[in-house]
Amino acid sequence: VQLQAFGGGLVQPGGSLRLSCEASGFSLDNYAIGWFRQAPGKEREWVLCVGPSDDSTYYADSVKGRFTISRDNAKNTVYLHMVGLKPEDTAAYYCAADRSGITSNRSSWYDYWGQGTLVTVSS
């Protein structure tokens, strides 16, 4: 059972990036997915979460209108689409999955975690 997050990189302010969270060993279909981030020297913070049927999606105020999430069940992958990136979005981004299918903004809620992928927003 493994989650793997990738797709981070260096992007200029105002730019876009898509992060991927790929599962192996289990199907993401019935799992709630959360994305979190941790900037250097700061605590991990919740970014957004989505339920299994994608009809319950919640966003942190700091990313609302700029970040969205989508699933590709055939690829067992969830994507975090980020546009209008700001320097304050610089962080390691983590995806997490919860088997109950219930969304939460608490990191302790989630059962499985991917490794972080670093996003740097800088000119």
Side-chain angles (χ1 to χ4, degrees):
V1 173
Q2 188 176 9
L3 277 179
Q4 185 175 7
F6 53 93
L10 174 64
V11 62
Q12 292 187 341
S16 302
L17 207 58
R18 187 185 76 171
L19 305 183
S20 301
C21 177
E22 183 176 335
S24 58
F26 69 106
S27 172
L28 287 175
D29 290 8
N30 298 315
Y31 280 69
I33 303 298
W35 282 93
F36 294 78
R37 66 186 182 185
Q38 188 167 17
K42 295 187 177 181
E43 294 186 355
R44 187 170 298 187
E45 66 170 345
W46 168 72
V47 176
L48 57 81
C49 55
V50 62
S53 58
D54 294 351
D55 60 351
S56 55
T57 306
Y58 305 95
Y59 300 88
D61 288 343
S62 58
V63 305
K64 199 172 295 183
R66 300 187 299 121
F67 291 13
T68 56
I69 192 169
S70 65
R71 293 176 182 257
D72 185 336
N73 289 336
K75 295 183 178 180
N76 211 22
T77 299
V78 175
Y79 301 101
L80 176 62
H81 305 270
M82 306 183 293
V83 301
L85 283 163
K86 305 175 182 179
E88 51 263 43
D89 294 319
T90 295
Y93 283 72
Y94 300 85
C95 62
D98 172 72
R99 66 170 72 92
S100 74
I102 299 172
T103 54
S104 174
N105 61 3
R106 293 184 290 117
S107 59
S108 60
W109 179 258
Y110 292 86
D111 301 305
Y112 304 120
W113 286 82
Q115 85 291 356
T117 184
L118 183 61
V119 173
T120 303
V121 185
S122 175
S123 55

